[in-house]
């Protein structure tokens, strides 16, 4: 998704830009002719078209026959500048798949690196120390045993600059949580401690939430992406729903992922309907809505905040992907990497020079993106004999010295970059 | 009632509400004891006990938790409840006289008084008497003895030095007095004020001594009562437990030991005068100190163990004042040591009169076990208290019958007091107790049955108890995981509803608890009805706030997306020109907005359209496109020619107005221009007569198209067209 960077930097219209991108990707396919259009692809897409056989939650680990990873050798042959070493691993006791992992990139210089994992009805915070030590900081268990958290995202309180963690999952409720331990702010023991742990709860999505993202420039704007075919933009400072993206021309199926471009002017979303949709938030209407959301004060008015309903994306295409689109590059890669299940997410480091993605059998691929031609991106494969279950998500620390991968068997793997 | 089987266990059950021991007057009913004697079938007993626990354990635990929470962080005070009004000892009599202006004066006066309690003043103690009923009628006591000997010691606890194991303690005897035993508080004392024993602790004693730095001062009272049989004391309801209680609550008391003489009973009590921060703890006032009997061996701190004090074994601290050994005295700080005669005459303490207990006052909380009663209790309050105390004067026995296993089994326990078994709240009246049980413990059903000895209360599990979420519906999603909360499980959000319900208040009587025909009337009816649930906005699915209830979010006749969609679809047409598209969009949105559905509405629709969109049509030069539209509508027999006339007239009106305005503006501009370009005026061509014509925006209908349409039209329209052309020529807009 971060590739939107290119688009935002060019002043040209998105509509003009996209065909070029399309071309790029199709040429990519041409360069690897074997990966395009075999029967299996068609079968999968047919299946996704009919709702009957869709895996009903991402927990489904469809044991598709492992495809021959013919491309592996080729990728391996290229030299990559980075090397990683697995220094630690641990397993959470619930044994359920961990769907998300996120480093806090808002921490101050010198603070210990903190990351959060989500899975089952639990959110856990860890601290990375030297020599591969991972220290458990906090664990939050949702009151509802049926909750299954899928995703988390970090931001910070604009008033106090305390780190905040937003989590959401199968119940479709977004909870934005104070992580007090991190900021060294031990709250006075009071009866309302538990309530004060939360900054807000955002209810409104009609179904599970697949992804949460914060605006790159405005830490109060939270984007949630849901199984109910829509995206929502929230203002967590005033607890308002700024806009709903979806409807007439919106996604026709679950939205799986979305992200802002680097400048925070557009949102790119992708979903099970194989389409990519671009939503501008720098339009006059959206800017006004965002301003309005900051000015809205529920205690002073009896009228609800009027959320914008954006039914028409500024651009939409179904031409790029022929299967579920989890993240931009995801599907293309999945042909090589035995990613037949959906809901696997890649991550990039802060400077967008590296991209890491796990696959279904526990292999981890790290690309060096700092090359002129995207085709020549170099890749390393990180494997461990013990790590065999699907890697759901990876996350780089801000200085990209640590890579954390979380798996379906509730295990967490820490890879340290070797200098 | 279902067939009952009495509990057969002889021993005390560690049952749900932890009755634990019999110390507090809990007795198994005699029938159960007999049953136990007959056939102690252990297995049956155990099964029975299991059933009992199954039924009562959980709600009891919940109420225990709530009780403790209410003690720590009370949501309300029991004394504010109507049926507990007798717990309210505060009177409003001073309200009338109090003024805001006096507040400062009062505070200053109080401060001034406190300052006089400096170390320079002497401590004067005037003893009223030593009260100890000990279960004997007072006549016997009078025969035996009339006074006890009291010794007052000033205990100085000094700072620990390096070599000392414990803090060095110095005891300074201040005097021995004979104090009347159980004096008649009514008259006896006032008769001879001079005979009242009094002691003076000189101020020099409180000065920092030179050898040791004294940390704290306390007074030790030691009463020896000769010839008092010991055994009776243990027979008291709370002899043992009380001991434990005081050890925990006021462990600073009783630090010293005394040697008990043969045949004598010694009672001790200790009160802190200055604590270790050198704060004065004892202010002027009347005090009543509860005394403890000295043990043979002093309680060693190492042997002290934790003991639960909450499960009804122990009496509340103020119970002792009606029974146990207490010493009454008046304390004064005086500067003049010689003035002995001015010692105030002790007045009878109010606690002595009523069996009921006094609520602790803020001033007395300082010394936990002392009770100072101010003299100014209004008459009103006293009469009220008398009324109250009149009822439970004779000991009531409350039989609780716990029914379980589908009401087929029953266990009976009896209590001698009016404390709630779950929250140990002293209700002090039977009516209050039952009311409290019914209202505060709705997980149970209580049935009151009068009993010759007191009352019988049948307790059974309320199966219809609604334990579902009853908090503020707005907070229903805000329930975070309380599972690991430090403060215990908290399911509900505290919510306060302002109730304006004012039912007719019936006079409090026990008869209301008796089973009546419409017994279900009061059962578990929620007072909050209606919008006790969460609603959502229909368009965004976001929770609806109560104050937003009036906003209609379901108005969906012409939603924005539909407008946008319509416009987009029209935009995609390839066989119509831009002007036609524009008119189509305007028209479609117009119809959508107004909801025209029938043919005969079209005349109105056209006129309204002309009315509302005239400016837009004129501005974007869509005159002819609109006319074309009207004509084709006429072709389909939807509108009459009259309508076309009217609509066009409306448009022309706007047009002429616009032209007028434009011309004026043009002229102004021209004038300005003329000033600027005086020389060039003549050579300049005529200013563009059609400033509205903006070719970049929309292509207007060409004359060919409109004339093509005219061929289909009838004569009248052609005439009109001509008229229009004339007019437009005049207006010099078109062409």
């Amino acid at each position: 998704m971060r590739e939107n960077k290119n688009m935002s930097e060019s002043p040209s219209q998105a509509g003009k830009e996209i065909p070029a991108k399309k071309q790029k990707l199709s040429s990519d396919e041409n360069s690897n002719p074997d990966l395009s259009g075999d029967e299996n692809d068609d079968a999968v897409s047919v299946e996704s078209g009919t709702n009957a056989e869709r895996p009903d939650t991402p927990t489904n680990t469809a044991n598709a026959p492992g495809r021959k990873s013919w491309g592996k050798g080729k990728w391996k042959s290229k030299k990559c500048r980075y090397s990683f070493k697995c220094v630690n691993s641990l397993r959470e006791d619930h044994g359920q798949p961990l769907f998300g992992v996120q480093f806090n990139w808002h921490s101050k210089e010198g603070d210990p690196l903190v990351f959060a994992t989500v899975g089952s009805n639990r959110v856990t915070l860890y601290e990375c120390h030297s020599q591969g030590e991972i220290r458990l900081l906090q664990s939050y268990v949702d009151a509802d045993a049926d909750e299954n958290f899928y995703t988390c995202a970090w931001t910070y309180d604009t008033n106090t600059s305390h780190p905040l963690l937003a989590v959401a999952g199968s119940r479709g409720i977004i909870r934005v949580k104070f992580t007090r331990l991190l900021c060294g702010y031990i709250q006075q023991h009071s009866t309302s401690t538990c309530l004060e742990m939360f900054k807000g709860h955002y209810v409104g999505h009609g179904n599970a939430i697949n992804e949460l993202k914060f605006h790159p420039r405005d830490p109060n704007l939270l984007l949630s992406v849901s199984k109910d075919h829509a995206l929502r933009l929230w203002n967590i400072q005033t607890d308002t729903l700024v806009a709903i993206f979806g409807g007439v021309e919106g996604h026709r199926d679950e939205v799986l992922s979305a992200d802002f471009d680097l400048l925070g002017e557009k949102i790119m979303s992708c979903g099970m309907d194989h389409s990519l949709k671009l939503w501008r938030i720098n339009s006059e209407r959206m800017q006004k809505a965002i301003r309005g959301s900051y000015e809205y004060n529920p205690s002073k008015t009896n009228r609800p905040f009027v959320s914008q309903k954006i039914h028409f994306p500024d651009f939409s295409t179904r031409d790029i992907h022929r299967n579920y689109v989890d993240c931009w590059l995801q599907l293309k890669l999945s042909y090589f990497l035995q990613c037949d299940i959906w809901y696997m997410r890649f991550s990039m480091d802060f400077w967008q020079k590296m991209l890491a993605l796990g696959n279904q059998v526990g292999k981890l691929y790290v690309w060096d993106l700092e090359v002129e031609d995207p085709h020549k991106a170099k890749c390393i494969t990180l494997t461990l004999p013990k790590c065999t279950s699907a890697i759901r998500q990876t996350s780089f620390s801000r200085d990209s010295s640590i890579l954390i991968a979380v798996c379906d068997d509730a295990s967490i793997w820490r890879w340290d970059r070797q200098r | 009632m279902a067939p009952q089987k009495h509990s057969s266990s002889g021993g005390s059950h560690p049952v749900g509400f932890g009755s634990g021991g019999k110390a507090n007057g809990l007795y198994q009913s005699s029938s159960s004891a007999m049953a136990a004697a007959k056939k102690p079938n252990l297995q049956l007993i155990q099964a029975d006990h299991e059933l009992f626990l199954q039924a009562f354990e959980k709600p009891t635990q919940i109420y225990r938790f709530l009780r403790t929470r209410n003690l720590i962080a009370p949501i309300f005070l029991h004394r504010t409840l109507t049926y507990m009004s007798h717990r309210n000892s505060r009177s409003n009599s001073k309200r009338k006289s109090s003024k805001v202006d006096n507040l400062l004066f009062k505070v200053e006066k109080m401060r001034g008084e406190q300052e006089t309690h400096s170390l320079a003043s002497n401590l004067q103690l005037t003893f009223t008497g030593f009260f100890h009923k000990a279960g004997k009628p007072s006549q016997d006591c009078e025969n035996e003895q009339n006074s006890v000997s009291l010794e007052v010691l000033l205990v100085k606890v000094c700072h620990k030095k390096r070599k000392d194991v414990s803090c060095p303690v110095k005891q300074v005897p201040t005097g021995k007095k004979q104090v009347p035993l159980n004096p008649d508080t009514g008259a006896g004392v006032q008769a001879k004020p001079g005979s009242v024993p009094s002691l003076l602790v000189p101020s020099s004693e409180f000065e920092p001594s030179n050898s040791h730095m004294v940390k704290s001062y306390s007074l030790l009272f030691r009463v020896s009562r000769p010839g008092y049989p010991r055994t009776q004391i243990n027979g008291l309801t709370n002899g043992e437990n009380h001991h434990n209680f005081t050890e925990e609550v006021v462990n600073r008391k009783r630090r010293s030991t005394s040697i008990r003489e043969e045949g004598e009973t010694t009672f001790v009590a200790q009160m802190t005068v200055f604590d270790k921060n050198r704060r004065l703890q004892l202010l002027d006032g009347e005090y009543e100190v509860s005394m403890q009997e000295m043990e043979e061996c002093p309680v060693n701190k190492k042997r002290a163990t934790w003991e639960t004090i909450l499960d009804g074994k122990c009496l509340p601290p103020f119970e002792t004042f009606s029974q146990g050994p207490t010493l009454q005295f008046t304390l004064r700080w005086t500067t003049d040591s010689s003035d002995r005669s001015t010692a105030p005459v002790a007045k009878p303490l109010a606690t002595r009169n009523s069996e009921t207990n006094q609520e602790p006052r803020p001033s007395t909380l300082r010394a936990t076990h002392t009770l100072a009663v101010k003299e100014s209790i209004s008459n009103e309050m006293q009469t009220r208290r008398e009324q109250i105390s009149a009822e439970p004067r004779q000991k009531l026995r409350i039989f609780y019958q716990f029914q379980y296993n589908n009401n087929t089994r029953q266990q009976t326990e009896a209590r001698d007091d009016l404390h709630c078994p779950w929250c140990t709240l002293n209700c002090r009246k039977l009516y209050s107790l039952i009311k409290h049980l019914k209202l505060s413990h709705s997980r149970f059903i209580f049935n009151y049955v009068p009993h010759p000895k007191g009352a019988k209360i049948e307790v059974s599990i309320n199966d219809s108890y609604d334990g579902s979420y009853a908090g503020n519906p707005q907070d229903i999603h805000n329930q975070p995981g309380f599972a690991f909360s430090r403060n215990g499980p908290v399911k509900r959000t505290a919510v306060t509803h302002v109730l304006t319900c004012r039912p007719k208040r019936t006079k409090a009587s026990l008869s209301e608890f008796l089973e009546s025909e419409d017994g279900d009337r009061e059962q578990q009816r929620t007072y909050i009805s209606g919008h006790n649930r969460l609603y959502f906005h229909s368009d965004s699915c976001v929770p609806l706030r109560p104050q937003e209830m009036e906003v209609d979010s379901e108005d969906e006749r012409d939603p924005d997306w539909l407008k946008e969609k319509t416009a987009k679809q029209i935009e995609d047409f390839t066989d119509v020109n831009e002007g036609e598209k524009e008119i189509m969009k305007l028209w479609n949105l117009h119809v959508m907005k107004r909801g025209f559905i029938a043919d005969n509405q079209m005349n109105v629709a056209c006129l309204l359209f002309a009315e509302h969109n005239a400016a837009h049509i004129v501005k974007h030069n869509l005159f002819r496109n609109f006319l074309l539209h009207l004509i084709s509508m006429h072709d389909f027999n939807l509108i009459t020619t009259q309508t076309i006339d009217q609509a066009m007239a409306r448009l022309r009106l706007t047009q002429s107005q616009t032209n007028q305005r434009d011309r004026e503006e043009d002229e102004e501009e021209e004038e300005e221009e003329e000033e600027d370009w005086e020389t060039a005026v003549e050579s300049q061509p005529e200013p563009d007569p059609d400033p509205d014509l903006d070719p970049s925006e929309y292509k207007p209908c060409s004359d060919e198209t409109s004339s093509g349409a005219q061929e289909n039209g009838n004569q009248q329209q052609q005439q009109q067209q001509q008229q229009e052309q004339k007019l437009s020529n005049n207006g010099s807009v078109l062409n």
Side-chain angles (χ1 to χ4, degrees), chain B residues 621 623-624 652 655 659 663 689-690 703 720-735:
Chain B
N621 203 16
F623 201 92
R624 282 164 177 257
R652 259 180 232 114
Q655 202 172 31
N659 285 338
R663 205 173 296 135
D690 187 8
D703 272 347
Q720 194 190 335
Q721 185 76 19
Q722 283 161 3
Q723 279 178 359
E724 179 228 347
Q725 273 176 348
K726 264 185 222 164
L727 221 152
S728 57
N729 284 340
N730 290 340
S732 71
V733 172
L734 287 175
N735 308 322

Side-chain angles (χ1 to χ4, degrees), chain A residues 259-277:
Chain A
D259 205 350
F260 294 93
D261 70 320
L262 273 187
L263 298 173
E265 291 170 343
K266 309 177 198 75
I267 295 165
M268 199 79 196
S269 63
C270 56
M272 280 196 175
D273 58 352
H274 307 185
S275 67
L276 296 176
K277 290 186 191 294

Side-chain angles (χ1 to χ4, degrees), chain A residues 100-322:
Chain A
V101 58
Q102 288 291 332
F103 265 101
N104 181 15
W105 283 354
H106 303 293
S107 59
K108 283 196 280 293
E109 199 72 33
D111 280 359
L113 299 166
V114 172
F115 68 92
T117 61
V118 291
S120 187
N121 62 342
R122 211 178 287 190
V123 182
T124 320
L125 299 180
Y126 297 95
E127 212 173 55
C128 288
H129 290 275
S130 55
Q131 272 97 43
E133 187 192 351
I134 299 176
R135 196 175 291 167
L136 175 72
L137 285 184
Q138 249 184 336
S139 187
Y140 158 69
V141 180
D142 197 80
D144 188 350
D146 298 333
E147 174 69 287
N148 198 354
F149 288 123
Y150 292 157
T151 178
C152 60
W154 287 92
T155 186
Y156 57 91
D157 192 325
T158 41
N159 297 326
T160 59
S161 71
H162 292 164
L164 297 173
L165 181 69
V167 291
S170 60
R171 282 181 73 201
I173 299 171
I174 307 167
R175 301 193 190 276
V176 177
K177 192 172 168 294
F178 287 113
T179 54
R180 292 196 184 281
L181 277 178
L182 295 180
C183 32
Y185 175 73
I186 308 296
Q187 209 216 346
Q188 285 294 310
H189 181 79
S190 74
T191 47
S192 53
T193 313
C194 284
L195 293 174
E196 284 171 13
M197 258 169 62
F198 288 90
K199 180 172 167 62
H201 308 266
Y202 305 101
V203 186
H205 270 301
N207 214 326
I209 291 170
N210 284 327
E211 186 82 278
L212 290 173
K213 291 278 158 124
F214 277 99
H215 192 277
R217 291 185 156 182
D218 187 341
N220 291 319
L221 290 182
L222 171 65
L223 179 72
S224 61
V225 157
S226 169
K227 200 175 173 178
D228 67 358
H229 305 189
L231 298 89
R232 280 172 192 237
L233 188 67
W234 308 84
N235 186 332
I236 62 163
Q237 186 173 333
T238 54
D239 297 348
T240 47
L241 172 63
V242 181
I244 303 170
F245 304 96
V248 185
E249 301 264 295
H251 282 284
R252 285 275 174 274
D253 208 332
E254 284 192 36
V255 195
L256 292 177
S257 186
D259 205 350
F260 294 93
D261 70 320
L262 273 187
L263 298 173
E265 291 170 343
K266 309 177 198 75
I267 295 165
M268 199 79 196
S269 63
C270 56
M272 280 196 175
D273 58 352
H274 307 185
S275 67
L276 296 176
K277 290 186 191 294
L278 176 86
W279 315 82
R280 288 185 179 279
I281 54 169
N282 57 353
S283 63
E284 183 61 33
R285 182 184 176 190
M286 279 307 298
Q287 287 302 312
K288 201 177 152 204
I290 291 168
R291 275 199 305 276
S293 75
Y294 274 107
E295 286 155 12
Y296 180 72
N297 187 348
S299 59
K300 289 204 176 134
T301 174
N302 282 344
R303 297 198 68 82
F305 178 75
V306 181
S307 312
Q308 297 297 316
K309 284 104 192 167
I310 312 287
H311 289 257
F312 301 94
D314 292 280
F315 177 75
S316 177
T317 178
R318 286 178 50 102
D319 299 336
I320 299 174
H321 300 292
R322 281 172 301 150

Side-chain angles (χ1 to χ4, degrees), chain B residues 248-432:
Chain B
E248 278 195 23
V249 176
V250 264
N251 52 5
R252 64 164 180 266
K253 295 182 180 177
R254 247 187 322 107
R255 210 170 274 127
S256 61
T257 62
S258 73
I259 307 119
R260 197 161 57 91
E261 290 165 35
E262 283 292 316
E264 261 189 3
T265 323
T266 312
F267 301 93
V268 287
Q270 192 167 357
M271 290 171 82
T272 308
V273 186
F274 291 100
D275 66 3
K276 58 187 173 197
N277 298 324
R278 297 200 65 78
R279 276 183 307 225
L280 182 68
Q281 297 286 333
L282 293 180
L283 297 176
D284 279 9
E286 290 179 43
Y287 289 84
E288 182 167 358
V289 191
S290 92
M291 314 278 289
Q292 283 100 47
E293 191 206 348
M294 284 303 302
E295 296 269 333
E296 289 96 336
C297 49
V299 172
N300 193 343
K301 276 205 175 151
K302 283 172 189 168
R303 283 202 301 143
T305 53
W306 282 103
E307 221 172 293
T308 322
I309 56 166
L310 299 176
D311 51 357
K313 273 199 272 180
C314 184
L315 286 182
F318 299 105
E319 190 78 2
T320 56
F321 289 102
S322 55
Q323 307 235 3
T326 57
L327 179 72
Q328 268 191 20
F329 63 91
T330 312
L331 187 144
R332 270 190 83 195
W333 291 91
T334 52
T335 42
D336 185 13
S337 59
S338 62
D339 185 19
R340 287 193 156 213
S341 59
T342 54
V345 176
K347 284 179 186 163
L349 287 167
T351 41
R352 183 63 54 192
N353 292 341
S354 63
E355 180 211 342
T356 52
N357 298 326
Q358 199 79 19
E359 285 287 312
R361 285 156 189 278
S363 63
T364 60
L365 283 176
R366 198 176 310 224
T368 328
H369 232 252
T370 51
L371 192 70
V373 180
K374 290 186 180 135
E375 291 129 278
S376 64
I377 294 170
S378 70
N379 292 333
E380 186 197 353
M381 282 303 297
Q382 272 189 342
T383 50
R384 213 208 299 181
R385 193 171 292 122
E386 274 160 25
Q387 281 173 357
I388 295 156
S389 57
E391 198 178 345
R393 176 72 61 179
Q394 82 280 16
K395 279 280 180 193
L396 277 176
R397 180 166 289 181
I398 317 280
F399 297 95
Y400 292 94
Q401 295 196 327
F402 298 94
Q403 298 171 352
Y404 54 101
N405 197 15
N406 290 330
N407 292 348
T408 56
R409 284 171 174 269
Q410 169 175 309
Q411 281 192 15
T412 309
E413 290 191 354
R415 282 186 163 237
D416 278 341
D417 51 17
L418 290 161
H419 291 247
C420 168
W422 285 273
C423 31
T424 60
L425 174 80
N426 187 3
C427 299
R428 286 159 54 176
K429 283 203 298 187
L430 185 59
Y431 174 81
S432 305

Side-chain angles (χ1 to χ4, degrees), chain B residues 146-160:
Chain B
N146 267 329
S147 66
V148 290
S149 71
L150 167 78
E151 194 185 0
V152 181
L153 300 156
L154 185 67
V155 180
K156 298 178 181 178
V157 180
C158 304
H159 275 289
K160 200 156 82 172

Side-chain angles (χ1 to χ4, degrees), chain B residues 601-668:
Chain B
Q601 288 178 304
M602 283 305 122
N603 286 317
V604 186
C606 288
L607 291 177
L608 265 176
F609 182 78
E611 184 77 32
H612 289 286
N613 296 303
H616 189 262
I617 289 169
V618 170
K619 192 177 171 211
H620 295 291
N621 203 16
L622 302 167
F623 201 92
R624 282 164 177 257
N625 299 107
F626 179 51
L627 184 63
L628 182 64
H629 174 63
L630 291 177
I631 290 163
S632 60
M633 296 240 314
H634 183 265
D635 287 348
F636 285 99
N637 278 330
L638 292 174
I639 55 172
T640 60
T641 49
Q642 203 186 351
T643 309
I644 299 178
D645 253 350
Q646 286 174 348
M648 294 320 282
R650 177 72 189 80
L651 279 192
R652 259 180 232 114
L653 181 68
T654 314
Q655 202 172 31
S656 57
Q657 283 170 353
T658 318
N659 285 338
Q660 192 82 27
R661 216 182 306 127
D662 287 345
R663 205 173 296 135
E664 283 166 15
E665 283 171 13
D666 282 348
E667 277 166 13
E668 282 171 24

Side-chain angles (χ1 to χ4, degrees), chain B residues 527-592:
Chain B
Y527 284 104
I528 317 141
S529 61
H531 296 299
N532 193 20
R533 49 174 293 189
L534 190 59
Y535 293 88
F536 296 90
H537 285 291
S538 60
D539 56 346
S540 60
C541 301
V542 169
L544 187 83
R545 292 189 301 152
Q547 56 265 49
E548 291 165 2
M549 207 65 92
E550 299 306 313
V551 181
D552 182 15
S553 60
E554 297 207 310
D555 189 16
E556 270 226 332
R557 205 152 58 187
D558 58 335
D560 289 336
W561 66 266
L562 194 53
K563 290 182 197 166
E564 212 174 328
K565 184 77 181 166
T566 311
K568 281 198 175 203
Q569 279 172 339
I570 291 171
E571 203 64 47
D572 288 343
F573 290 158
T574 49
D575 50 351
V576 285
N577 66 30
E578 295 297 317
E580 283 167 326
K581 280 183 190 172
E582 190 63 20
I583 283 291
M584 284 163 106
K585 282 183 207 167
L586 284 177
W587 179 259
N588 278 5
L589 294 180
H590 173 68
V591 171
M592 206 192 294

